[in-house]
Amino acid sequence: MLFMSKQKKVESQLADYNQKVSDCVSGFHDAIRNYCETSDRKKLEEDFQKVYRAESLADDIRRAVEVMMYTKSIFPESRGDILGMLEAMDKVPNQCEATLRMLLTHHLEIPKILRPGIIHLANVCHKAVEALLEASGRLFQDFTTATVAVGKVDQLESEADEIEAALTDQIFSGQQDTQSGWEKILTRDLVRYLGAVSDRAENAGDRIRIIVAKRSI
Amino acid sequence: MWPFAPLGGGLFLGWALGANDASNVFGTAVASRIITFRKACLLCSCAVIMGAIFQGQAGIDTYGKFMSGHQIEVLLITSLSAAVTVTLMTVLRLPISTSQAMVGAMVGVGLSMGSLPWTLLRKIILCWLITPVGAMLIAVAVYLILSVFLRHFPMSLLTRDKILWGGLLIIGIYGSYALGANNVANATGIFSGKIEGITNTQLAWLGGISIAGGVLTYSRRVIYAVGAGIMPLDSFTALVAVSSMSITIHIFAVIGVPVSTSQGIVGAILGIGLIRGGRSIHYRKLRSIGLGWLLTPTIALVLAAAGYAITRGFMNVIPIGYENTWQGPM
């Protein structure tokens, strides 16, 4: 009973962390879509603040989980694995925040021709992170099934890579000449930053895959 | 000679036994980081002492009867030779059987005296071969049964950890208790009724404490050799290994044959390695352990024979004519 309560506390904190990461990524997705649709910088600023707060809260929970992991009799092997997974997962909200910060501080105007592609990329990244969160959640229900969700993350990451490549090609192909050379480079960087969200999700998914593989019989 | 001095040989053997055999019950759990070395040592020591006190006296009585016809100097030579051999193997990080060392020493003395029960000796050597093979087969069966259980019950990562942690802890404590109960006789049992003023209960206490002393002070070397030297183990395979070793030892105990926990655990780990394809087995370490099993009785035999020759020939401690009364506990 004593062990179960400690275990439940850890599992509950990890579920809270997943929820905050989900809030952060949803906010990020909304921010990109809103900015592409309205080019409203004030709204972008507000959305950024929401994402920033969610990311900070996720960080706070992660730190609390880390402390709890060392005080709540978790196996050293699992402790290392879960902490490694959290570290990898933490890069996802960080990347979301960094992408929005870049959009905000570089005063980037996204050309109309690129907007549907960028919204699509943000959408795929959002789905990839949701699949990652599903995999992370399954570790604490039926851990053997977590790899199914990780497979989904991989699939979405590949899709994101293709969209990123298509967008980069579109930026420099001459289809859009509304941007100067350095603006094109900044837009390409924005696309890279955006695509990196799914890369981070894939990296965290790989950690989950290793956790399951280590315990496979 | 100071009346309690011969007991020093038994206490030394107890210490060496604890240093080498703790690895058999907690080595896999420590190396797979399920329990810390310090906690494992404390648990093992307490359980060993309890096993020695509560269930070790029967073995001490048996040893006392077996060795009733022997002079205390012969017993001292036997236990010292076995203790030196076990310590040497512990320094070399090799998990070996204390019983092998004891049998080797007794054979050494027996050969020097010119009397040896060859039939019984053949039976014991056969058991040394059967134990690792039996443990290997049992490990394969336990692995398959436990894996079916873990596969068919969906559970959280942390629940799985708790199940394996609890299993390893219970089996480790049980194994340590059995280690104390079975092996205290090896350490101090041979002195039963030989030293005036020391009862069998006191011998059980002293033997248990000496084994615990070995666990606490010098068991690290072999613990890691068993836990990680033969093949890397995770919590699941660690549980399979210790369970298989315990089942094997228990089966042999029911049949009435005392066998080595070291041979049991090494056989069990090997069985797990083979069921996983054999790629992760460190064959070089396995060769060293096999060599250790051959060398242990040989070294003990040579040491005991030499010890007997020295004490009889040069110091004239053992009277001529005593050799006709030798009757090993085999």
Side-chain angles (χ1 to χ4, degrees):
Chain A
M1 193 64 201
L2 190 69
F3 282 141
M4 285 310 286
S5 68
K6 286 176 178 179
Q7 182 183 327
K8 289 283 171 214
K9 274 182 196 169
V10 172
E11 286 175 351
S12 158
Q13 283 276 50
L14 287 166
D16 285 351
Y17 177 75
N18 279 359
Q19 186 54 53
K20 284 290 163 259
V21 173
S22 177
D23 292 348
C24 180
V25 177
S26 296
F28 164 76
H29 180 220
D30 291 345
I32 296 286
R33 199 183 52 227
N34 289 339
Y35 189 63
C36 283
E37 283 170 1
T38 62
S39 297
D40 183 351
R41 288 192 53 79
K42 201 177 168 191
K43 178 74 179 137
L44 179 66
E45 173 73 44
E46 282 171 17
D47 289 341
F48 170 74
Q49 287 305 326
K50 276 185 203 164
V51 170
Y52 176 76
R53 277 195 295 274
E55 194 272 337
S56 295
L57 280 171
D59 265 352
D60 293 344
I61 296 173
R62 180 178 58 81
R63 285 189 201 102
V65 172
E66 283 172 359
V67 172
M68 189 183 268
M69 298 285 277
Y70 278 99
T71 54
K72 297 289 180 191
S73 307
I74 302 292
F75 258 19
E77 190 186 12
S78 294
R79 187 162 59 209
D81 285 341
I82 294 169
L83 290 177
M85 181 190 77
L86 283 176
E87 290 294 332
M89 281 179 72
D90 187 49
K91 291 191 167 71
V92 173
N94 286 352
Q95 189 61 34
C96 292
E97 188 199 331
T99 308
L100 288 185
R101 193 183 287 277
M102 185 200 177
L103 197 58
L104 201 64
T105 54
H106 287 53
H107 294 265
L108 263 175
E109 191 68 42
I110 300 171
K112 278 185 182 160
I113 193 167
L114 298 176
R115 287 176 188 176
I118 286 178
I119 291 173
H120 186 35
L121 181 56
N123 191 30
V124 170
C125 289
H126 183 205
K127 281 182 188 169
V129 177
E130 288 299 337
L132 170 71
L133 296 176
E134 190 191 336
S136 155
R138 282 191 191 182
L139 278 183
F140 303 99
Q141 290 157 7
D142 177 7
F143 75 96
T144 52
T145 61
T147 44
V148 178
V150 173
K152 219 158 97 183
V153 178
D154 290 346
Q155 204 182 332
L156 288 160
E157 194 276 337
S158 298
E159 197 182 329
D161 277 352
E162 282 170 25
I163 300 166
E164 188 186 325
L167 277 168
T168 308
D169 184 60
Q170 216 175 356
I171 292 166
F172 296 104
S173 65
Q175 288 174 21
Q176 63 100 1
D177 284 327
T178 55
Q179 288 186 307
S180 62
W182 62 268
E183 280 175 328
K184 283 181 180 177
I185 288 169
L186 282 179
T187 310
R188 181 206 61 190
D189 286 350
L190 174 72
V191 169
R192 279 185 181 173
Y193 264 59
L194 200 50
V197 173
S198 66
D199 293 338
R200 304 284 183 265
E202 191 192 32
N203 292 343
D206 286 343
R207 296 298 291 252
I208 292 174
R209 188 180 279 121
I210 291 167
I211 290 173
V212 177
K214 271 170 79 176
R215 288 158 181 82
S216 67
I217 296 163
Chain B
M1 196 187 294
W2 187 56
F4 298 134
L7 197 56
L11 296 180
F12 179 23
L13 180 60
W15 176 86
L17 192 153
N20 199 288
D21 284 7
S23 62
N24 304 332
V25 283
F26 271 115
T28 54
V30 171
S32 54
R33 298 171 65 210
I34 284 142
I35 185 167
T36 60
F37 173 73
R38 185 180 289 186
K39 278 181 193 164
C41 283
L42 283 172
L43 283 173
C44 184
S45 306
C46 293
V48 157
I49 294 173
M50 284 171 72
I53 295 163
F54 294 128
Q55 284 194 292
Q57 288 192 45
I60 291 176
D61 292 342
T62 311
Y63 257 74
K65 283 172 196 159
F66 267 128
M67 307 301 281
S68 58
H70 295 291
Q71 275 199 334
I72 201 156
E73 287 80 7
V74 173
L75 305 179
L76 181 60
I77 291 165
T78 312
S79 58
L80 270 179
S81 307
V84 169
T85 309
V86 175
T87 306
L88 179 70
M89 292 301 159
T90 306
V91 171
L92 294 172
R93 299 171 197 267
L94 295 174
I96 50 97
S97 159
T98 313
S99 310
Q100 271 188 326
M102 278 297 279
V103 169
M106 284 168 180
V107 169
V109 174
L111 281 173
S112 304
M113 289 175 170
S115 66
L116 204 62
W118 286 106
T119 317
L120 201 55
L121 200 61
R122 271 198 295 274
K123 190 183 164 191
I124 289 171
I125 291 170
L126 189 68
C127 287
W128 290 349
L129 297 173
I130 291 171
T131 310
V133 177
M136 203 187 297
L137 296 174
I138 289 169
V140 170
V142 171
Y143 185 99
L144 294 174
I145 293 165
L146 273 180
S147 61
V148 166
F149 169 77
L150 286 177
R151 271 194 203 125
H152 285 79
F153 290 94
M155 63 181 80
S156 156
L157 192 74
L158 300 179
T159 307
R160 179 186 183 274
D161 282 357
K162 290 294 176 200
I163 291 171
L164 296 176
W165 181 80
L168 269 168
L169 210 64
I170 290 166
I171 291 177
I173 291 170
Y174 166 70
S176 304
Y177 181 88
L179 182 73
N182 290 328
N183 282 282
V184 70
N186 274 334
T188 52
I190 54 174
F191 298 101
S192 171
K194 300 280 180 194
I195 301 168
E196 209 174 314
I198 293 197
T199 63
N200 283 0
T201 311
Q202 286 166 330
L203 283 176
W205 268 99
L206 288 169
I209 291 168
S210 67
I211 297 171
V215 173
L216 287 168
T217 56
Y218 206 63
S219 59
R220 190 184 285 268
R221 299 175 81 87
V222 188
I223 273 191
Y224 283 100
V226 167
I230 303 166
M231 67 170 275
L233 295 171
D234 55 25
S235 45
F236 173 71
T237 46
L239 181 64
V240 171
V242 185
S243 311
S244 309
M245 182 269 287
S246 305
I247 293 168
T248 309
I249 301 304
H250 194 88
I251 288 172
F252 276 103
V254 170
I255 295 169
V257 181
V259 291
S260 158
T261 51
S262 306
Q263 290 174 335
I265 195 78
V266 171
I269 295 173
L270 195 59
I272 295 163
L274 291 176
I275 206 172
R276 289 198 159 182
R279 284 183 300 276
S280 51
I281 298 171
H282 301 154
Y283 289 100
R284 185 178 287 183
K285 184 72 191 174
L286 212 56
R287 272 199 298 276
S288 308
I289 290 172
L291 192 66
W293 290 354
L294 289 175
L295 284 176
T296 300
T298 314
I299 293 172
L301 185 150
V302 171
L303 285 176
Y308 180 81
I310 291 166
T311 44
R312 185 188 161 187
F314 299 104
M315 294 163 72
N316 206 21
V317 170
I318 301 164
I320 310 250
Y322 170 74
E323 57 264 35
N324 298 327
T325 66
W326 193 87
Q327 43 179 354
M330 296 174 277

